[in-house]
Amino acid sequence: MKWNLSSDQMPQAWFNVAPHLIEPLQPPLHPGTREPVGPDDLAPLFPTALIAQEMSAEPWIDIPGEVIDVLRLWRPTPLVRARRLEQALDTPARIYYKDESVSPAGSHKPNTAVPQAYYNKAEGIGRLATETGAGQWGSALSFASALFGLECKVYMVRISYEQKPYRRVMMETWGGNVEPSPVDEPGHPGSLGSAISDAVRDVVARDDSHYSLGSVLNHVLLHQTVIGLEAKEQLALAGEERPDIVIASCGGGSNLGGITGPFVPDADVDLVAVEPSSCPTLTEGRFEYDFGDTAGLTPLLQMYTLGHDFVPSTIHAGGLRYHGDSPIISNLVKTGRMRAVAYPQGKVFEAAVQFARTQGSIPAPETSHAIRATIDEALRAKEEGVERVILFCYSGHGMLDLGAYDSYIHGNMVE
Amino acid sequence: MKWNLSSDQMPQAWFNVAPHLIEPLQPPLHPGTREPVGPDDLAPLFPTALIAQEMSAEPWIDIPGEVIDVLRLWRPTPLVRARRLEQALDTPARIYYKDESVSPAGSHKPNTAVPQAYYNKAEGIGRLATETGAGQWGSALSFASALFGLECKVYMVRISYEQKPYRRVMMETWGGNVEPSPVDEPGHPGSLGSAISDAVRDVVARDDSHYSLGSVLNHVLLHQTVIGLEAKEQLALAGEERPDIVIASCGGGSNLGGITGPFVPDADVDLVAVEPSSCPTLTEGRFEYDFGDTAGLTPLLQMYTLGHDFVPSTIHAGGLRYHGDSPIISNLVKTGRMRAVAYPQGKVFEAAVQFARTQGSIPAPETSHAIRATIDEALRAKEEGVERVILFCYSGHGMLDLGAYDSYIHGNMVE
């Protein structure tokens, strides 16, 4: 069972979670002076519109018409009730998922790639550079750049570049230019942190280019709130007053921030972040100021971090291999508004295959973290004998991750 | 711009094109006696419900509720207006496409895999065997079998098995058992015809198994008419009285028959089949009785054919490499109700990349044949200065075909 909204029912404004936080966000610090950064410090990297959004305290921010026109290529996305999974689990829980896999790039990432490309284009920028882990973000930015006529350079974490050649081809199909990172250490598997360093170095050396980040920052989470806003409307169509639990996977925090953001003011909704045991930023990291990248070129952010030189093991959920976390997500966890759980990848793929064999769709490894937690919550509801409404973010499909399924199915997966 | 129907607006009956043909379909002939086959001859291969559908002259056939329940996992599929492609072509044509890529298997194939699995299960069959070319059909039947608790054995054309390992993994994720074909000639690239022989040999040797075919036969095209039925309703929502042209790619003819079937009675709607130049069944084949498979095990069908021993070159659109064609499609072409065009694969991928860079989505190579013809029709409308409504079938996504894009983008594609 699916609930669709029509094209003209897309949200017209993004929801800003900042005014709803229990404690205010602390500003980023300049990597040299360790003083709070101002808009001028960020101008070499981002257009002024995005810098303003990054620091905004406005509760709602209008979505430009040109952005809506592109998002409508696939939005609003469906809300789906996972009845067959419920039946297989024999649970009284009602499980809904917001299907972000229907975008051209196959994930939620275009929700922010499109406005980022738009605002850069509007301010006269001709070229964007970025990093990508699993390739979801680089694909999304290549796609958005193609639609706005921008050049796009992508530094791809080397282990993903090697494990996922089709992700590179996808970016190239949209005209993107892809290079493995770290660029100066050919044998290194790479990390998001070091790929960010490569991209930042690229743009500060050129006048025509800006940097673009696919997660972590406030404006990125802002753009992703279309997920949660649509889901709220669709749950009402499905006859649900509100979800009891909202679940999403967490790497940098963008799909999580997007689906949970609009529910932050609803104090009785339980918000859950799911991360890999091998990169347990929220469950085992420290809450402190740290660099966003390995080389220490970015401002310092107040967040949960494993240390900016942390190199996680090469699990298949490449998009969740980040040493830090979104300041907004970190703030929510620190203040107790959100909780975090971690799973090893074997348990995650077990959930992924169960989902595929009941609901049909094959999820991305990142998404499968949310599915694992959803299944466990549904089983808890069964144990406790309570009806519970669970909403999770189906952040992306696994069509480019079938190598990981191959390992799992044939017993070759490392925990 | 998308037009969605809600889950309860799915068609409740399939549209049977047989009563609307200008000349009646001729019956299949027994491979031994060359006499018309009856239901009993087909009983070792198919359940009685499907045999009845194969021979039915009823104008509508009800869709069982259990089938609708599964189809609703992704149906109704969206109708999308390709405005950005129109703008890039500067055409007065209005281009719509029916997006069948949103199914779990990524193509239109589950539309018939689901009822086939259902009817076999209902008649006590525990195992299905089939062939697959590009892997779309084997994926769809593995998916449908998983949902109905059937075993599924897939004989996969060897060249696709080798070129597309992820297709195998996809089938295995749903529990399918995949073997390259021809099973007895390890060096042979294979063809749909020889894979059909392998699957038929498999099921006639066992009591618990039936055969399942993903295209060609009347009941398969019948099940696919949900595509055209939904598209008719959605075009009306979009304010279009009717399409002027309906276009789809043609291998065995199932997505083509599905989208065009309900338009066959509308005599002023131009119906177009698009095939690869390297396997030009409709444009260069002979209209005669021929075997459906290489070994001559199946009944003979009256159809356009290149000869049942024809082995097409190993183009990337593996799903279009079939020596014959659906009797219904052949009948429509023979009687002038439908026309056929053929394209070389370089022209097809040029269209695919143009589509990806305007509309965002990356199409399957098979689907890209329809896109090539659509672009050419839109350019013809521009030359002639007429508004024209073009509907095409976006039969599948290209997420598992990125190797082909790699060849094209880097100039390594053979014409």
Side-chain angles (χ1 to χ4, degrees):
Chain A
M1 205 58 187
K2 281 192 305 182
W3 288 268
N4 287 313
L5 299 171
S6 66
S7 292
D8 54 9
Q9 289 174 296
M10 239 206 75
Q12 303 292 304
W14 291 299
F15 178 86
N16 188 2
V17 73
H20 301 279
L21 299 175
I22 299 167
E23 291 176 11
L25 288 172
Q26 296 303 307
L29 303 182
H30 191 282
T33 64
R34 307 277 165 132
E35 294 294 319
V37 299
D40 290 351
D41 297 312
L42 298 174
L45 298 181
F46 303 113
T48 55
L50 292 178
I51 296 170
Q53 289 177 6
E54 187 66 20
M55 301 178 168
S56 174
E58 293 298 315
W60 294 93
I61 294 174
D62 285 347
I63 309 177
E66 294 90 334
V67 170
I68 290 179
D69 272 355
V70 176
L71 295 181
R72 274 185 185 160
L73 287 172
W74 72 96
R75 302 206 73 84
T77 62
L79 181 78
V80 186
R81 176 140 175 215
R83 274 190 194 270
R84 283 170 190 270
L85 178 60
E86 292 171 16
Q87 285 160 4
L89 299 172
D90 189 25
T91 176
R94 297 193 291 283
I95 301 174
Y96 295 86
Y97 64 91
K98 182 68 173 158
D99 186 2
E100 293 296 308
S101 76
V102 298
S103 80
S107 80
H108 65 293
K109 291 292 188 187
N111 295 333
T112 184
V114 170
Q116 290 195 43
Y118 165 76
Y119 287 119
N120 275 289
K121 174 82 170 182
E123 295 188 17
I125 291 296
R127 179 176 174 274
L128 295 174
T130 195
E131 75 293 330
T132 198
Q136 295 276 20
W137 169 243
S139 304
L141 197 67
S142 297
F143 152 70
S145 296
L147 266 62
F148 287 101
L150 296 168
E151 275 186 69
C152 184
K153 170 82 186 196
V154 181
Y155 295 92
M156 186 171 188
V157 172
R158 182 168 283 109
I159 182 71
S160 292
Y161 184 92
E162 288 168 358
Q163 277 183 354
K164 303 187 176 186
Y166 286 177
R167 274 282 170 199
R168 167 184 58 75
V169 180
M170 198 177 186
M171 296 185 247
E172 290 173 345
T173 299
W174 285 312
N177 178 339
V178 190
E179 191 175 341
S181 166
V183 294
D184 51 4
E185 285 181 77
H188 196 287
S191 68
L192 270 180
S194 63
I196 294 174
S197 299
D198 282 333
V200 170
R201 274 193 206 98
D202 173 309
V203 302
V204 297
R206 300 174 60 132
D207 282 344
D208 63 340
S209 298
H210 266 166
Y211 173 62
S212 185
L213 191 64
S215 193
V216 177
L217 298 180
N218 301 345
H219 67 270
V220 177
L221 272 67
L222 176 78
H223 300 157
Q224 294 292 355
T225 57
V226 291
I227 305 173
L229 291 169
E230 289 177 8
K232 266 197 168 182
E233 282 199 56
Q234 290 164 313
L235 280 172
L237 291 178
E240 302 291 359
E241 201 182 326
R242 58 167 180 74
D244 295 294
I245 312 179
V246 182
I247 297 173
S249 64
C250 187
S254 80
N255 93 89
L256 174 63
I259 197 165
T260 59
F263 294 99
V264 164
D266 305 330
D268 47 0
V269 178
D270 182 17
L271 309 178
V272 181
V274 192
E275 59 185 15
S277 303
S278 59
C279 191
T281 316
L282 294 169
T283 50
E284 296 186 28
R286 295 179 305 279
F287 184 77
E288 61 188 27
Y289 271 102
D290 195 8
F291 295 104
D293 68 327
T294 306
L297 302 176
T298 72
L300 293 110
L301 302 172
Q302 193 187 45
M303 59 183 179
Y304 281 97
T305 176
L306 296 162
H308 62 275
D309 53 357
F310 178 82
V311 178
S313 63
T314 57
I315 56 167
H316 292 286
L320 306 185
R321 297 170 71 247
Y322 185 55
H323 70 272
D325 231 310
S326 151
I328 287 173
I329 297 298
S330 298
N331 177 297
L332 290 166
V333 171
K334 181 67 178 172
T335 58
R337 180 65 194 87
M338 181 182 280
R339 62 191 171 93
V341 294
Y343 287 105
Q345 70 176 346
K347 296 292 286 178
V348 165
F349 274 87
E350 180 188 87
V353 170
Q354 184 170 22
F355 188 84
R357 292 184 183 178
T358 50
Q359 292 298 124
S361 302
I362 299 178
E366 293 81 3
T367 306
S368 305
H369 285 73
I371 295 173
R372 173 76 269 165
T374 295
I375 289 174
D376 286 357
E377 286 293 339
L379 293 174
R380 184 168 68 90
K382 179 182 174 180
E383 259 181 44
E384 297 173 3
V386 292
E387 289 189 21
R388 210 168 259 149
V389 177
I390 305 175
L391 169 67
F392 77 89
C393 188
Y394 192 86
S395 55
H397 63 60
M399 296 296 97
L400 297 179
D401 303 286
L402 289 165
Y405 282 87
D406 203 12
S407 298
Y408 177 74
I409 291 168
H410 296 287
N412 301 321
M413 183 168 279
V414 179
E415 274 299 296
Chain B
M1 205 61 188
K2 280 192 306 182
W3 287 269
N4 287 313
L5 299 172
S6 65
S7 292
D8 54 9
Q9 288 173 297
M10 240 206 75
Q12 303 292 307
W14 291 299
F15 178 87
N16 188 2
V17 74
H20 301 278
L21 298 175
I22 299 168
E23 292 176 12
L25 288 172
Q26 296 303 309
L29 303 182
H30 191 283
T33 65
R34 307 279 167 131
E35 293 295 317
V37 298
D40 290 351
D41 296 312
L42 298 174
L45 298 180
F46 302 112
T48 55
L50 292 178
I51 295 170
Q53 290 177 5
E54 187 65 22
M55 301 176 169
S56 174
E58 293 297 315
W60 295 93
I61 294 173
D62 285 346
I63 309 178
E66 294 89 332
V67 171
I68 290 178
D69 272 354
V70 176
L71 295 181
R72 274 186 184 159
L73 286 173
W74 72 96
R75 301 205 74 84
T77 63
L79 180 79
V80 186
R81 175 139 176 218
R83 274 190 195 270
R84 285 171 187 268
L85 179 60
E86 292 171 15
Q87 285 159 5
L89 299 172
D90 189 25
T91 176
R94 297 193 291 282
I95 302 173
Y96 296 85
Y97 63 92
K98 182 69 171 158
D99 187 1
E100 293 296 308
S101 75
V102 299
S103 80
S107 80
H108 65 292
K109 291 292 187 187
N111 295 333
T112 183
V114 171
Q116 290 195 44
Y118 165 77
Y119 287 119
N120 275 289
K121 175 82 172 181
E123 296 188 17
I125 292 295
R127 179 177 174 274
L128 295 175
T130 194
E131 74 294 330
T132 197
Q136 295 278 19
W137 170 243
S139 304
L141 196 67
S142 297
F143 152 71
S145 296
L147 267 63
F148 287 100
L150 296 168
E151 273 186 72
C152 184
K153 171 81 187 198
V154 182
Y155 295 92
M156 186 172 188
V157 172
R158 181 169 282 108
I159 182 71
S160 293
Y161 185 90
E162 287 168 0
Q163 277 182 356
K164 304 187 175 185
Y166 286 178
R167 274 283 169 199
R168 167 185 56 75
V169 180
M170 197 176 186
M171 295 184 248
E172 289 173 347
T173 299
W174 284 313
N177 178 340
V178 190
E179 190 174 342
S181 164
V183 294
D184 51 4
E185 286 180 78
H188 197 287
S191 67
L192 271 180
S194 64
I196 293 173
S197 300
D198 281 334
V200 170
R201 275 192 206 99
D202 174 309
V203 302
V204 297
R206 299 174 60 131
D207 282 341
D208 63 340
S209 298
H210 266 167
Y211 173 61
S212 184
L213 190 63
S215 194
V216 178
L217 298 180
N218 302 344
H219 68 270
V220 177
L221 271 69
L222 176 79
H223 300 157
Q224 292 292 355
T225 58
V226 291
I227 304 174
L229 291 169
E230 288 178 7
K232 266 198 168 181
E233 282 199 55
Q234 290 164 313
L235 280 172
L237 291 178
E240 304 290 359
E241 201 182 326
R242 58 166 180 75
D244 295 295
I245 312 178
V246 182
I247 298 172
S249 63
C250 186
S254 79
N255 93 90
L256 174 64
I259 196 164
T260 60
F263 294 101
V264 165
D266 306 330
D268 48 358
V269 178
D270 183 18
L271 309 179
V272 182
V274 192
E275 60 185 14
S277 303
S278 59
C279 191
T281 315
L282 294 170
T283 51
E284 298 186 26
R286 295 178 305 279
F287 184 78
E288 61 188 27
Y289 270 102
D290 195 9
F291 294 104
D293 68 328
T294 305
L297 301 177
T298 72
L300 292 111
L301 302 172
Q302 193 187 46
M303 61 182 177
Y304 282 96
T305 175
L306 295 162
H308 63 273
D309 52 358
F310 178 81
V311 178
S313 62
T314 56
I315 56 166
H316 291 286
L320 306 185
R321 297 171 70 248
Y322 184 56
H323 70 273
D325 231 310
S326 149
I328 286 174
I329 297 298
S330 298
N331 177 298
L332 289 167
V333 171
K334 180 68 178 171
T335 58
R337 180 64 193 89
M338 181 182 281
R339 61 191 172 92
V341 294
Y343 287 104
Q345 70 176 348
K347 297 293 288 178
V348 166
F349 274 85
E350 180 188 87
V353 170
Q354 182 170 22
F355 188 84
R357 291 186 184 177
T358 50
Q359 291 299 125
S361 302
I362 299 177
E366 293 81 3
T367 307
S368 305
H369 286 72
I371 296 174
R372 173 76 268 165
T374 296
I375 289 174
D376 287 356
E377 285 294 338
L379 293 174
R380 184 166 70 88
K382 179 181 174 181
E383 259 180 45
E384 297 173 4
V386 292
E387 288 188 22
R388 212 168 258 148
V389 177
I390 305 173
L391 168 67
F392 77 88
C393 188
Y394 192 86
S395 55
H397 64 60
M399 295 297 97
L400 297 180
D401 303 286
L402 289 165
Y405 282 87
D406 203 12
S407 297
Y408 177 74
I409 291 167
H410 296 288
N412 301 322
M413 183 169 278
V414 179
E415 273 301 296

